[in-house]
């Protein structure tokens, strides 16, 4: 075999997923304060190296060796335990202890930084981590979200008792969280919750009923929705409870894991069915307002879903780009072939849209937590937008990227098949696409989010100094997307919810990407913003060659190549 073809199958394993990502450092320069960004640089680099090497190996091993449920100890005691592979346990240690991904937003001293970290730091770390391991990021997110919800609504006594373990970085001490909400008949319809909560004479609560889909079922704590047996019917009778895995004396609480789920993806992480048999629990917040309080946890989890979808797409695209640059056929590398260049652009667009929306939503979260005017309304619409669209895009991007590797991509030795399997989770958990698209409309109706989003986009456009023709096209498209959304928000307009959510997502991401390109000097990013508008928003003739409008490039001079 000639030297040119000595290694015909390109293998990217061992590359640093942060340092080989040309766009990410430039984006962080726009979104993070310089001092924090410089402080975090070595941590980003270290995690990027782990994600491209050791962590990727651990993830593959854990995926092939899923957890199992043991019912008894070897001495015959009925003490259930979810047995996790050592590879998964080591990933838990890296995520929860070494990098503090679940506690970082709740501490003033993480990774050597004194003071609160903005949410974007956590999401960048998660974005890197998930490119190797997706399943564990679900318990990480739920632990973070449970802690946030407990801090917001829990009593001082509950906080004093349990917050230290939830925010600890000591792997032997720290607690993990979960969310037990779904029932057989009550998935997204929380008003149909059948799990009952009975208050005893001493004021304590006991829960009885079945929960149908519980990820991280052996978590130290779970947030649970249940209906007080003397409460109101419907949604107003549902309350939120904190359920500990173990009681004060160290014994297991009164609930059983009936079985673990055999899932398409996220195989490394256990999901199970729970039967509550008079389990001890603690009321969180105000009785009868369980869903309102749980919604904060759900929304935080939905944002995390969007971040994870963005990370999956980035890994898939980076693999495809590497293969195309290394694989030779017909005397050329694949990325020198015009049709492959076109296909790679089709993969890049949704991946870059998603990470732009991660940055924009993380900033909105920081502003909302700081109680800035209109920030909550902006967060309330950006969160379901990224959950809805990025999670759907990840399914296609991971599948199409697998094709670039060819036959090897279909083989479980490589990362592609795992990415495809895991990508399908995002559009299902924490609300299916229909539910989340309708939540976009709910944000428009209840929080008045649409004018706030339009004002935010107008500010970005005004600060970007774009070519006049392109700026006008973006403004006009956003106006039309907003008009469609207003129609969807009227009586009988629900059928347009998905169409309107996609339109707002594409317009918002294109405007934000153009702003990033203008301020960061990224010519590829400006071109991608143009392609998003041309390919994902505006009408086009499928029987005609694509062409970029000449006045869009008056200030950029970029190529007019467009993906079909």
């Amino acid at each position: 075999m000639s030297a040119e073809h000595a290694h015909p199958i390109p293998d990217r394993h061992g590359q640093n997923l942060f340092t080989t990502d040309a766009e990410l450092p430039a984006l962080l320069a726009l979104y993070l304060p310089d001092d924090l960004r410089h402080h975090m640089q070595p941590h980003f680099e270290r995690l990027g190296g782990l994600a491209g090497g050791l962590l990727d190996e651990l993830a593959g091993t854990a995926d092939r060796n899923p957890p199992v449920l043991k019912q008894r100890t070897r001495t015959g005691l009925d003490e259930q335990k979810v047995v996790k592979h050592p590879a998964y346990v080591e990933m838990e240690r890296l995520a929860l202890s070494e990098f503090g991904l679940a506690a970082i937003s709740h501490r003033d001293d993480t990774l050597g930084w004194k003071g609160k970290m903005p949410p974007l730091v956590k999401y960048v770390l998660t974005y890197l981590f998930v490119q190797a391991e997706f399943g564990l990021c679900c318990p990480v997110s739920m632990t973070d979200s449970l802690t946030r919800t407990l801090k917001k609504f829990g009593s001082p006594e509950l906080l004093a008792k349990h917050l230290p373990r939830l925010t600890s970085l000591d792997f032997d001490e720290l607690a993990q969280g979960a969310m037990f909400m779904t029932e057989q008949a009550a998935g997204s319809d929380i008003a149909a919750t059948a799990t009952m909560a009975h208050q005893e004479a001493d004021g304590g609560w006991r829960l009885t009923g079945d929960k149908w889909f519980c990820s991280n079922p052996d978590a130290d704590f779970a947030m649970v929705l249940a209906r007080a047996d003397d409460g109101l019917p419907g949604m107003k009778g549902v309350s939120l409870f904190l359920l500990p895995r173990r009681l004060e004396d160290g014994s297991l609480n009164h609930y059983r894991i009936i079985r673990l789920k055999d899932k398409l993806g996220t195989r490394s992480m256990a999901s199970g069915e729970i039967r509550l048999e008079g389990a001890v629990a603690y009321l969180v917040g105000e009785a009868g307002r369980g869903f309102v309080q749980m919604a904060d946890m759900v929304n935080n989890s939905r944002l995390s879903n969007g971040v994870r979808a963005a990370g999956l797409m980035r890994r898939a695209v980076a693999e495809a780009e590497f293969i195309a640059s290394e694989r030779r056929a017909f005397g050329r590398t694949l990325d020198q072939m015009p049709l492959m260049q076109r296909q790679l652009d089709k993969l890049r667009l949704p991946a870059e849209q998603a990470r732009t929306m991660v940055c924009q939503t993380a900033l909105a979260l920081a502003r909302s937590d700081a109680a800035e005017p209109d920030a909550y309304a902006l967060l309330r619409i950006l969160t379901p937008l990224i959950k809805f669209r990025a999670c759907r895009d990840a399914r296609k991007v991971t599948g199409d990227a697998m094709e670039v590797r060819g036959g090897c991509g279909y083989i479980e030795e490589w990362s592609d098949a795992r990415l495809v399997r895991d990508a399908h989770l995002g559009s299902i958990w924490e609300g299916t696409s229909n539910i989340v698209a309708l939540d976009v409309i709910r944000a428009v109706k209840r929080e008045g989010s649409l004018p706030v989003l339009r004002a935010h986009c107008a500010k970005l456009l005004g600060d970007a100094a774009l070519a006049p023709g392109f700026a006008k096209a973006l403004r006009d498209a956003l106006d039309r997307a907003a008009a469609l959304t207003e129609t969807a928000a009227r009586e009988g307009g629900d059928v347009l919810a998905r169409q309107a959510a996609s339109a707002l997502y594409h317009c918002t991401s294109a405007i934000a990407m153009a702003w990033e390109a203008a301020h960061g000097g990224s010519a590829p990013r400006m071109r991608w913003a143009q392609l998003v508008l041309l390919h994902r928003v505006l009408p086009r003739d499928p029987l005609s060659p694509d062409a970029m409008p000449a006045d869009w490039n008056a200030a950029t001079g970029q190529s007019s190549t467009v993906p079909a």
Side-chain angles (χ1 to χ4, degrees):
M1 184 178 290
S2 67
E4 180 181 355
H5 296 287
H7 297 287
I9 308 298
D11 188 349
R12 185 169 172 256
H13 182 75
Q15 282 198 351
N16 187 304
L17 304 192
F18 179 77
T19 60
T20 57
D21 187 344
E23 288 291 315
L24 184 54
L27 287 177
L28 297 183
L30 297 176
Y31 286 102
L32 287 178
D34 286 343
D35 56 346
L36 178 56
R37 178 169 55 88
H38 291 312
H39 175 85
M40 288 302 303
Q41 181 80 12
H43 298 290
F44 292 149
E45 291 178 359
R46 180 162 185 274
L47 183 51
L50 287 169
L54 174 63
L55 187 55
D56 198 43
E57 294 171 6
L58 294 171
T61 300
D63 184 71
R64 293 187 294 271
N65 296 275
V68 295
L69 178 62
K70 288 187 66 174
Q71 299 288 355
R72 281 184 157 199
T73 69
R74 66 182 182 179
T75 61
L77 296 179
D78 288 328
E79 186 164 312
Q80 289 187 322
K81 182 179 181 182
V82 175
V83 180
K84 307 167 185 176
H85 191 276
Y88 185 85
V89 175
E90 175 60 13
M91 290 193 297
E92 287 182 310
R93 188 192 67 78
L94 285 168
L96 297 165
S97 179
E98 191 159 334
F99 286 95
L101 294 185
I104 195 170
S105 291
H106 311 289
R107 296 176 60 97
D108 294 326
D109 56 342
T110 313
L111 297 172
W113 180 260
K114 300 301 181 184
K116 286 287 185 187
M117 292 272 202
L120 183 58
V121 171
K122 171 181 65 184
Y123 291 131
V124 172
L125 291 168
T126 302
Y127 180 82
L128 292 169
F129 196 99
V130 79
Q131 290 183 50
E133 164 61 12
F134 186 94
L136 175 59
C137 288
C138 179
V140 167
S141 169
M142 289 193 296
T143 304
D144 173 34
S145 299
L146 180 146
T147 306
R148 177 184 171 90
T149 301
L150 186 63
K151 287 166 63 179
K152 193 168 183 177
F153 300 109
S155 67
E157 293 77 17
L158 276 181
L159 287 174
K161 188 172 184 179
H162 300 304
L163 195 60
R165 285 191 65 205
L166 288 165
T167 58
S168 175
L169 300 180
D170 184 328
F171 191 56
D172 294 325
E173 176 187 283
L174 63 81
Q176 294 190 37
M179 178 170 55
F180 300 167
M181 182 168 66
T182 307
E183 300 180 9
Q184 291 95 327
S188 299
D189 184 6
I190 302 301
T193 295
T195 297
M196 301 304 295
H198 174 72
Q199 189 170 23
E200 300 189 305
D202 63 0
W205 291 87
R206 297 271 186 162
L207 306 185
T208 304
D210 281 12
K211 293 296 184 179
W212 180 242
F213 211 112
C214 306
S215 288
N216 210 20
D218 63 335
D220 301 279
F221 298 99
M223 286 292 186
V224 183
L225 290 178
R227 180 181 306 284
D229 53 14
D230 60 350
L232 298 171
M235 190 81 79
K236 292 182 179 179
V238 177
S239 299
L240 182 62
F241 296 88
L242 181 71
L243 177 75
R245 178 63 174 148
R246 292 190 176 273
L247 301 174
E248 298 284 353
D249 62 4
S251 63
L252 288 173
N253 203 348
H254 306 294
Y255 65 90
R256 290 187 295 128
I257 304 170
I258 301 301
R259 64 169 176 166
L260 298 185
K261 302 285 194 180
D262 185 9
K263 297 171 292 181
L264 172 68
T266 63
R267 292 177 179 173
S268 64
M269 181 267 301
S271 300
E273 298 165 21
I274 299 288
R275 177 159 295 159
L276 301 155
E277 301 170 321
V280 174
Y282 305 97
L283 182 67
V284 176
E286 184 180 344
R289 292 184 56 80
F291 179 70
V292 173
Q293 294 159 177
M294 178 69 101
D296 189 73
M297 184 171 178
V298 170
N299 284 330
N300 211 45
S301 296
R302 284 177 175 173
L303 173 51
S304 177
N305 256 315
V307 174
R308 284 177 268 160
L312 286 182
M313 285 192 277
R314 171 59 201 167
R315 173 68 187 273
V317 170
E319 291 289 328
E321 289 174 335
F322 179 79
I323 295 159
S325 68
E326 295 290 327
R327 178 80 168 177
R328 296 186 65 84
F330 311 109
R332 294 184 290 174
T333 57
L334 299 185
D335 64 358
Q336 293 175 317
M337 301 176 181
L339 191 56
M340 178 57 75
Q341 293 169 355
R342 191 179 180 94
Q343 295 309 108
L344 289 174
D345 263 343
K346 292 177 69 174
L347 299 176
R348 291 180 185 118
L349 291 192
E352 295 299 333
Q353 285 179 270
R355 75 161 144 193
T356 286
M357 292 295 277
V358 166
C359 293
Q360 290 286 316
T361 311
L363 258 62
L365 175 58
R367 291 179 51 217
S368 176
D369 285 346
E372 293 186 20
D374 290 334
Y376 176 72
L378 181 62
L379 176 67
R380 265 295 285 123
I381 195 167
L382 288 178
T383 296
L385 283 177
I386 190 172
K387 162 64 165 88
F388 168 70
R389 191 67 259 169
C391 291
R392 293 190 62 76
D393 286 344
R395 289 154 50 181
K396 179 170 176 53
V397 169
T398 53
D400 288 353
M402 179 171 67
E403 184 182 347
V404 176
R405 201 186 291 278
C408 287
Y410 199 67
I411 304 303
E412 291 282 357
E413 289 178 312
W414 302 83
S415 62
D416 308 76
R418 190 170 81 245
L419 294 177
V420 171
R421 287 189 279 104
D422 287 348
H424 281 72
L425 175 146
S427 293
I428 298 173
W429 291 8
E430 321 299 359
T432 58
S433 296
N434 282 355
I435 294 298
V436 180
L438 290 169
D439 194 45
V440 173
I441 305 305
R442 190 176 299 110
V444 171
K445 291 179 177 179
R446 296 184 182 178
E447 273 77 45
S449 293
L450 186 58
V452 175
L453 179 65
R454 295 185 70 177
H456 177 71
C457 289
K459 186 176 185 300
L460 292 174
L461 272 175
D463 195 30
L466 304 177
F470 183 41
K472 183 179 185 304
L474 287 169
R475 281 193 296 270
D476 290 348
L478 181 62
D479 287 345
R480 293 182 63 198
L484 177 65
T485 305
E486 288 170 348
T487 300
R490 296 188 191 120
E491 185 69 28
D494 284 358
V495 70
L496 298 173
R498 293 170 73 121
Q499 186 178 346
S502 289
L504 286 180
Y505 178 87
H506 294 322
C507 290
T508 301
S509 60
I511 289 169
M513 289 171 73
W515 174 87
E516 291 166 346
H519 284 268
S522 171
R525 201 155 205 83
M526 185 66 75
R527 178 171 168 274
W528 295 333
Q530 293 171 336
L531 293 180
V532 167
L533 184 61
L534 191 66
H535 180 56
R536 309 201 81 186
V537 178
L538 299 182
R540 52 185 292 272
D541 183 352
L543 303 182
S544 298
D546 295 316
M548 192 83 74
D551 60 349
W552 285 18
N553 291 317
T556 63
Q558 297 301 306
S559 164
S560 61
T561 303
V562 181

